[in-house]
Amino acid sequence: MRARITGTGSCLPEKILTNKDLEKIIDTNDEWIVTRTGIRERRIVAEGQFTSDLATTAARNALEMAGVQASEIDLIILGTISADYPWPSTACIVQQNLGAKNATAFDLSAACSGFVYALSMATAQIESGRIKKALVIGAETLSRIIDWEDRNTCVLFGDAAGAVVLEAKPGDQGILSTHTHSDGSYFNLLYQPGFGTRHMPTPEGLQERSYFLKMQGNEVFKVAVRMLTEVALEAVTHNGMTMADVDLFIPHQANIRILEATAKRLSLPDSKVYINVDRFGNTSAATIPVALDEANRAGRIKANDILLFDAFGGGFTWGSALVRW
Ligand code: ACO
């Protein structure tokens, strides 16, 4: 049995925040943001709209496409770093919203690699025969954990959710392989220092703005390109293929320069690289399933196409998945 993606779904908040809008909030400009990141606009949640809301809508859309009832789902894994609560998991809230009463539900923390990690875990459960149907979700409201006074980071991120239904199916189509890696020696190049149990919400912590995402962009950039390239090659080599066999490369949408540098190292032509970072910014765990859903609904993917997902994020974490559609 293979794990096959039988439905995709996504949810983008309605509110659009353009680079021009950002010029009114911080000392930045459209030209800087576009040149350095390729981002022109991003979506931002409304007041009272949370990660679980985006995740629930994305999951409903994926279930509808798959023709699967929520009660048939055995497992929900939700990749996120902007959960509704520290605990319980946002996946449990989504389970309740969907009425997926037979599912085991939990969150997975692997930052921008969250979706690929979750896909890997759910695929293993299906291949082992322990479960038959899973929902894999990447959902973020990063607008709530970025520092809107820090121009180095706040221009990069957005809010979104994407989801897939995975089902056990015979045949050659489905997830061919997944590869995941971590290196905790880089943990503080990209992280949110507060407020876990190590940095409690003290008045000093609030003053130091330690609740917000911190990043050393230059360092992240260098390692990201290297690891994204390595783990993409690992995926095709493992399957006895080359990059020429890949029909559509769906990388984590961090920023255009990371995407272009990785695609160049992999000798992938522009026509095979899916890009939507210009419209949505970096939505962490949500970027790959949102891009997949867009490509799928736009008819850009045909049966038996080879897709390559490639992710890198805080931890550091990175991973890839090769899929025969
Ligand atoms: N507007 C205008 N100027 C800015 C802005 C801004 N929004 N942000 C920073 N600057 C200024 C800096 O203050 C600096 O000015 P200075 O020289 O006077 O000190 C100047 O621009 C250059 O700053 P750098 O940090 O050197 O700019 P760089 O070319 O490295 O680009 C960027 C920064 C875009 C963050 C880049 O390092 C990058 O893409 N890093 C990857 C990080 C990333 O994508 N992280 C996402 C999470 S990880 C992931 O998803 C893979």
Side-chain angles (χ1 to χ4, degrees):
M1 283 291 173
R2 282 205 191 276
R4 195 188 299 172
I5 296 174
T6 56
T8 62
S10 57
C11 177
L12 280 310
E14 274 176 31
K15 185 179 171 193
I16 296 174
L17 188 73
T18 65
N19 293 347
K20 286 278 172 211
D21 296 329
L22 280 169
E23 287 178 7
K24 295 175 201 145
I25 312 173
I26 43 157
D27 179 16
T28 190
N29 58 77
D30 178 58
E31 198 258 327
W32 192 98
I33 301 173
V34 172
T35 320
R36 305 289 176 119
T37 73
I39 300 166
R40 294 179 186 279
E41 57 187 46
R42 67 287 291 142
R43 302 297 180 97
I44 303 292
V45 281
E47 192 116 348
Q49 192 177 30
F50 302 105
T51 299
S52 59
D53 300 318
L54 303 184
T56 301
T57 302
R60 281 204 180 108
N61 292 339
L63 286 167
E64 192 186 342
M65 185 187 286
V68 168
Q69 299 298 313
S71 58
E72 297 173 57
I73 295 293
D74 304 306
L75 174 68
I76 299 173
I77 313 182
L78 192 155
T80 189
I81 50 164
S82 47
D84 286 21
Y85 305 100
W87 59 273
S89 71
T90 300
C92 282
I93 298 167
V94 173
Q95 174 194 26
Q96 162 68 14
N97 291 347
L98 295 173
K101 56 184 189 307
N102 297 310
T104 297
F106 64 94
D107 288 356
L108 188 152
S109 173
C112 304
S113 309
F115 176 77
V116 169
Y117 265 54
L119 189 73
S120 180
M121 300 302 132
T123 297
Q125 291 272 304
I126 287 178
E127 287 174 348
S128 73
R130 292 190 66 150
I131 65 160
K132 294 214 159 25
K133 294 181 190 185
L135 257 174
V136 178
I137 308 171
E140 306 283 9
T141 50
L142 298 176
S143 61
R144 296 218 166 87
I145 62 162
I146 52 181
D147 186 346
W148 289 100
E149 292 180 13
D150 176 13
R151 68 177 184 170
N152 292 293
T153 53
C154 77
V155 302
L156 302 173
F157 299 98
D159 302 333
V164 301
V165 174
L166 271 189
E167 292 187 66
K169 298 272 185 191
D172 287 343
Q173 289 160 297
I175 313 297
L176 302 180
S177 66
T178 61
H179 291 89
T180 53
H181 303 278
S182 319
D183 186 345
S185 66
Y186 293 107
F187 87 94
N188 58 359
L189 291 187
L190 177 58
Y191 76 134
Q192 189 183 349
F195 292 127
T197 53
R198 192 152 172 163
H199 295 283
M200 302 289 279
T202 57
E204 297 76 37
L206 287 167
Q207 206 160 9
E208 289 161 9
R209 308 181 76 73
S210 64
Y211 176 70
F212 298 115
L213 177 154
K214 313 277 182 217
M215 181 182 72
Q216 290 180 36
N218 281 326
E219 296 306 312
V220 174
F221 192 104
K222 281 182 247 163
V223 187
V225 173
R226 198 168 78 237
M227 298 318 187
L228 283 164
T229 305
E230 280 183 15
V231 80
L233 289 172
E234 189 175 13
V236 290
T237 308
H238 178 86
N239 289 283
M241 297 186 195
T242 68
M243 291 309 294
D245 295 307
V246 173
D247 295 293
L248 189 60
F249 179 57
I250 305 186
H252 166 52
Q253 309 282 312
N255 72 52
I256 196 72
R257 291 190 302 155
I258 290 183
L259 299 188
E260 286 174 352
T262 306
K264 191 170 167 210
R265 285 186 183 205
L266 294 171
S267 304
L268 278 165
D270 292 352
S271 59
K272 288 189 174 182
V273 182
Y274 197 86
I275 291 176
N276 64 11
V277 70
D278 52 326
R279 288 176 288 128
F280 304 135
N282 181 346
T283 59
S284 188
T287 63
I288 291 176
V290 167
L292 174 66
D293 186 46
E294 270 200 337
N296 190 21
R297 286 176 194 266
R300 196 159 162 192
I301 312 173
K302 304 185 304 293
N304 292 306
D305 272 359
I306 299 294
L307 312 186
L308 176 56
F309 305 154
D310 199 14
F312 179 88
F316 287 155
T317 57
W318 60 101
S320 59
L322 200 72
V323 181
R324 190 188 304 280
W325 196 252

